[in-house]
Amino acid sequence: MAAVAPGPALLRSRRFAIHIEAAAWAQFRHPVPRPGYHDLFAMCKRGEARIEGELHPLMANLRYFKELLSLARKPETEAVGHGG
Amino acid sequence: MVAKLEPITGHYMQVEIYGRINRIYFEESGRGIPLVCLHTAGADGSQYRHLLNDPGITRDYRVISFDLPWHGKSLPPAGYHLEDYSLTTELYVDTVLAFCRGLELRQPVIMGCSMGGRIVLELALSHGEDFRAVIGLESADHQEPWYDTEWLHRPDVHGGEVSAALVSGLVAPQAPDEYRWETLWGYQQSGPGVFKGDLHFYRVDSDYRDRVGDIDTQTCPVYLLTGEYDFSCTPEDTLRTAARIDGAEATIMEGLGHFPMCEDPVRFRRYIVPVLEKIKGYE
């Protein structure tokens, strides 16, 4: 990972993007998230997250990206191994 | 140091399905009522190893778990290199029946998870008189897809890696890490295109919404158990299915996801043992 920068990111080029509603993201970050907020695709299925762009880099490295997201879980949770 | 030996024994059987000889691997443990276990798509029968190792269950049940052809230690039939694997309702039913007849099982209980939970509905419907009961884990008559199966089998994405990473979110957050990763290993080591071929059955050839209402639970009792964290076969999918089947019993399992028997066997035991106790009482 090269950098973490706060938004908003205006007119920024990207290969793909993951958008998650703020309320859903807060639920996802809970140490033991509620059903439906425990995984990126669960939130996509609920319509509270969406993935756009060229998906190959995401899908070819899916474990990495899901574990990257799960690192944002609150610190009392063991982030490694959750896989989303 | 002497190794700890599990009470499970494994065998291979050769059985004809659709005119082709299939070499099928199965494991079993216990004695009594046959309980045949069907694994999820793209995985294998070792998902049920905790049931086969549970003396409280194997005291009264002969627990049998087999790898479908193309899965685990079962081979694909000869000539597989010339075809794309694609499971259908008809092939799945014939495979389960051929397996049960091959072992001369009398009135077995059939328990399946996910696509296995789907096919037990068809078995109860079309062959209910042959089974003592069916148990559907993460089972519904239909469900909405949540990804494109084209990602599962293409040259520029590792099929095992992407399959495991997709289904990883179906495991409940509470599942012990050891069992979460063992469950995912089943997907990581699956044969090329096999998960996708299973999903042909699950997505395309098994919409039973108009048919499950015809299941006669007096002949073949139906138990459905679904984990609250399963967003693939959701609790709502299961409850809707149960509502269409007169006499079906549905249970939503707290703290469990799509792979209850292998992602968190201790928690699952609390839910499955009472069901097996009830089934024991049937004649």
Side-chain angles (χ1 to χ4, degrees):
Chain A
M1 181 158 47
V4 178
L10 301 174
L11 296 178
R12 183 171 295 171
S13 296
R14 68 240 193 312
R15 294 280 294 282
F16 70 90
I18 298 170
H19 303 271
I20 304 172
E21 300 288 336
W25 179 240
Q27 293 276 357
F28 176 84
R29 293 187 64 205
H30 193 272
V32 184
R34 288 167 43 208
Y37 296 98
H38 60 294
D39 180 73
L40 171 62
F41 295 104
M43 294 186 289
C44 288
K45 196 177 179 194
R46 301 177 68 89
E48 296 179 48
R50 64 183 196 283
I51 304 169
E52 295 172 344
E54 165 53 47
L55 297 199
H56 181 263
L58 171 69
M59 300 304 280
N61 301 279
L62 189 55
R63 175 178 167 185
Y64 170 79
F65 284 108
K66 288 179 79 171
E67 292 189 1
L68 192 63
L69 286 177
S70 71
L71 289 176
R73 289 237 160 91
K74 302 254 166 70
E76 57 265 44
T77 305
E78 184 190 355
V80 175
H82 263 273
Chain B
M1 188 182 130
V2 178
K4 179 187 168 192
L5 284 186
E6 299 183 12
I8 301 173
T9 53
H11 297 273
Y12 291 90
M13 71 154 73
Q14 296 190 19
V15 65
E16 191 174 310
I17 302 165
Y18 279 3
R20 302 170 85 181
I21 295 295
N22 281 263
R23 185 170 189 260
I24 291 180
Y25 175 74
F26 68 98
E27 298 178 336
E28 67 167 287
S29 180
R31 55 176 52 194
I33 302 163
L35 171 61
V36 176
C37 302
L38 308 176
H39 57 74
T40 62
D44 63 65
S46 67
Q47 289 180 325
Y48 289 95
R49 72 177 178 94
H50 303 283
L51 264 74
L52 275 75
N53 270 308
D54 188 330
I57 293 174
T58 56
R59 191 178 52 221
D60 299 305
Y61 282 93
R62 178 185 175 193
V63 188
I64 307 167
S65 181
F66 72 97
D67 298 345
L68 277 174
W70 299 78
H71 299 70
K73 286 202 275 277
S74 294
L75 288 173
Y80 82 89
H81 57 292
L82 302 173
E83 63 191 273
D84 285 329
Y85 169 64
S86 185
L87 187 63
T88 61
T89 287
E90 195 180 2
L91 177 59
Y92 202 174
V93 166
D94 284 1
T95 301
V96 174
L97 293 179
F99 179 81
C100 292
R101 287 170 186 157
L103 285 183
E104 299 182 300
L105 302 179
R106 269 193 63 239
Q107 293 285 113
V109 180
I110 307 282
M111 173 162 65
C113 186
S114 186
M115 75 164 185
R118 179 74 53 80
I119 203 65
V120 302
L121 299 173
E122 173 64 30
L123 290 167
L125 183 61
S126 55
H127 296 83
E129 69 285 355
D130 294 335
F131 301 110
R132 187 182 183 102
V134 299
I135 303 169
L137 310 174
E138 319 308 317
S139 170
D141 51 11
H142 176 260
Q143 71 202 60
E144 293 303 320
W146 52 279
Y147 62 90
D148 184 346
T149 60
E150 289 303 313
W151 287 110
L152 302 179
H153 189 214
R154 48 187 276 170
D156 57 352
V157 176
H158 188 286
E161 294 264 27
V162 73
S163 299
L166 276 165
V167 304
S168 70
L170 299 176
V171 179
Q174 296 90 336
D177 253 7
E178 176 188 355
Y179 297 134
R180 164 192 308 279
W181 285 101
E182 181 181 317
T183 299
L184 298 179
W185 179 248
Y187 284 83
Q188 288 168 340
Q189 66 171 349
S190 187
V194 171
F195 187 28
K196 185 183 176 194
D198 283 339
L199 291 179
H200 173 79
F201 159 74
Y202 202 43
R203 295 265 184 97
V204 179
D205 194 45
S206 62
D207 185 342
Y208 303 150
R209 281 177 289 188
D210 294 337
R211 308 182 57 224
V212 289
D214 295 332
I215 293 175
D216 177 6
T217 57
Q218 294 293 320
T219 304
C220 181
V222 174
Y223 293 90
L224 305 179
L225 300 95
T226 290
E228 63 173 343
Y229 279 92
D230 189 346
F231 67 88
S232 180
C233 175
T234 65
E236 293 73 26
D237 291 327
T238 297
L239 294 173
R240 179 201 67 230
T241 302
R244 287 183 177 140
I245 307 171
D246 195 21
E249 280 189 31
T251 304
I252 304 307
M253 302 182 286
E254 290 180 11
L256 286 165
H258 190 71
F259 312 94
M261 63 289 182
C262 50
E263 71 176 51
D264 197 341
V266 173
R267 196 182 286 263
F268 177 58
R269 192 179 195 284
R270 285 184 228 147
Y271 291 99
I272 196 61
V273 166
V275 170
L276 294 175
E277 287 295 321
K278 270 191 206 174
I279 293 173
K280 232 162 51 181
Y282 299 151
E283 282 310 312

